[in-house]
Amino acid sequence: MPQLFFSFLVHSFFHDKIFEFCVKNGLTADVCVPQFFENTKGFDSSICWNEDVQEYFRKLKSGEENVITLESLKEKPFYPEEAKVSEFTLEIIQKPLSEIERLLRDGMIYVEFKYAWHSLLPGYFQFPVDRKLQRVEKCLKHGATPSNRGCAGLTALMLTCKNLRDRSGDSTAVEHVVSLLMEHRAEVNQQDFYGRTALHYAIKSEYDTEARLARKQRVVQILIQHNVDIYLKDSSGISAIDMAKREGHESWLRTDEASLTGTCSKKGKHTVQ
């Protein structure tokens, strides 16, 4: 049954009916598919065995119905295509649960979760945008939480900020989603596997028009208004204020100086490396 929640990714016409059926049968929107990886990136055990992973394994052991089990992942084909897992994952899940836990605790492997509702976020939007926004809100009201961490530990807030440039120049969908996530108590200073926050991703996002720069600044201001820590450093020792200085946008992070005019001080495409 939990796999059915992913069906709205491929059945957009029946999305609302599928969603209502799932909710009516006790499913919540935080259903996710685990994907295991060999830890060649050197993540420490606190990442490999983080709170999200511990919670997932707790649900497995308690037999909760609202979870895609490792056993169900062994079934082929796994439907829909968007929820399929890698060959390495299929290899790992053949092991006893206790052995998988040991590998995670020892930092030999790590796991990323794919949440179906993350596919509704900006960057993935297809028109009509208003309907997508309504569906994001519906998911948040039925079990999806902004702290759900997907690929590389990215939350919905981080994903939205990362994909700022992917929306059309005059679109306000991104700001609406960021505000919506904050209303549902998104943790503005939450960090991904690399120590990056939503502000890191917002500052780093590329722009090539005045409109995109203005939107980028407005999103940064929303984060500032919610007490984002501009000095948090990522795993490379770089903070959002460091990145803003490189771009010439340090004033955006000063609440007494920042404005929402989005005046472009530098023309053309600009990105932080």
Side-chain angles (χ1 to χ4, degrees), residues 222-264:
I222 294 173
L223 299 176
I224 292 293
Q225 290 163 9
H226 286 85
N227 301 315
V228 67
D229 188 341
I230 66 176
Y231 297 106
L232 271 180
K233 297 182 182 294
D234 63 17
S235 58
S236 298
I238 300 174
S239 66
I241 188 69
D242 295 331
M243 298 170 70
K245 287 178 179 178
R246 292 181 186 178
E247 282 208 2
H249 300 318
E250 182 182 2
S251 63
W252 292 6
L253 307 187
R254 308 298 185 188
T255 54
D256 58 335
E257 300 176 6
S259 68
L260 300 181
T261 58
T263 303
C264 186

Side-chain angles (χ1 to χ4, degrees), residues 29 46 89 95 131 150 181 186 216 227 241:
S46 65
T89 296
K95 302 177 183 295
R131 182 172 296 178
L181 292 170
K216 173 175 176 172
N227 301 315
I241 188 69

Side-chain angles (χ1 to χ4, degrees), residues 5-220:
F5 197 87
F6 274 81
S7 296
F8 75 73
L9 298 176
V10 290
H11 291 303
S12 57
F13 184 79
F14 296 105
H15 174 278
D16 293 328
K17 290 184 178 180
I18 293 173
F19 186 92
E20 290 171 7
F21 177 83
C22 290
V23 170
K24 186 177 181 180
N25 283 272
L27 292 180
T28 56
D30 62 346
V31 171
C32 63
V33 172
Q35 188 94 288
F36 292 89
F37 298 89
E38 187 176 0
N39 187 16
T40 58
K41 298 183 178 181
F43 293 136
D44 62 36
S45 57
S46 65
I47 289 178
C48 298
W49 186 243
N50 61 55
E51 292 180 359
D52 298 324
V53 178
Q54 293 176 41
E55 177 63 11
Y56 175 73
F57 276 81
R58 184 196 65 76
K59 289 180 178 180
L60 287 181
K61 292 177 180 178
S62 63
E64 291 190 20
E65 295 183 358
N66 191 59
V67 61
I68 294 178
T69 66
L70 299 184
E71 196 63 33
S72 68
L73 294 178
K74 299 176 184 178
E75 302 172 6
K76 293 185 178 181
F78 188 75
Y79 182 84
E81 181 72 25
E82 287 79 356
K84 286 187 177 180
V85 296
S86 66
E87 289 299 320
F88 183 76
T89 296
L90 292 174
E91 177 184 334
I92 288 295
I93 62 178
Q94 304 303 320
K95 302 177 183 295
L97 199 60
S98 59
E99 175 64 9
I100 298 175
E101 282 193 22
R102 185 191 67 77
L103 291 171
L104 288 165
R105 290 176 185 273
D106 292 347
M108 302 300 294
I109 61 174
Y110 68 97
V111 62
E112 295 181 351
F113 295 107
K114 180 172 184 177
Y115 291 89
W117 76 277
H118 279 182
S119 298
L120 297 173
L121 298 169
Y124 300 95
F125 276 1
Q126 298 174 354
F127 294 101
V129 172
D130 288 345
R131 182 172 296 178
K132 292 285 188 178
L133 288 170
Q134 292 172 2
R135 289 173 176 174
V136 171
E137 185 169 16
K138 187 185 296 185
C139 286
L140 289 167
K141 289 180 177 178
H142 290 87
T145 63
S147 61
N148 290 151
R149 299 203 296 179
C151 178
L154 271 71
T155 65
L157 186 60
M158 295 175 200
L159 283 169
T160 303
C161 292
K162 182 180 180 181
N163 294 317
L164 281 177
R165 190 177 182 276
D166 293 345
R167 298 303 307 143
S168 59
D170 59 350
S171 173
T172 58
V174 174
E175 295 100 297
H176 288 161
V177 171
V178 170
S179 296
L180 181 63
L181 292 170
M182 298 312 303
E183 288 173 11
H184 284 79
R185 300 184 179 182
E187 298 177 30
V188 71
N189 290 315
Q190 196 168 357
Q191 294 172 283
D192 66 8
F193 291 173
Y194 299 96
R196 300 168 188 145
T197 66
L199 185 58
H200 278 89
Y201 284 105
I203 294 293
K204 187 177 181 179
S205 65
E206 298 177 350
Y207 64 86
D208 55 7
T209 65
E210 293 277 350
R212 285 194 171 102
L213 177 63
R215 181 175 61 221
K216 173 175 176 172
Q217 185 176 5
R218 290 194 298 270
V219 168
V220 168

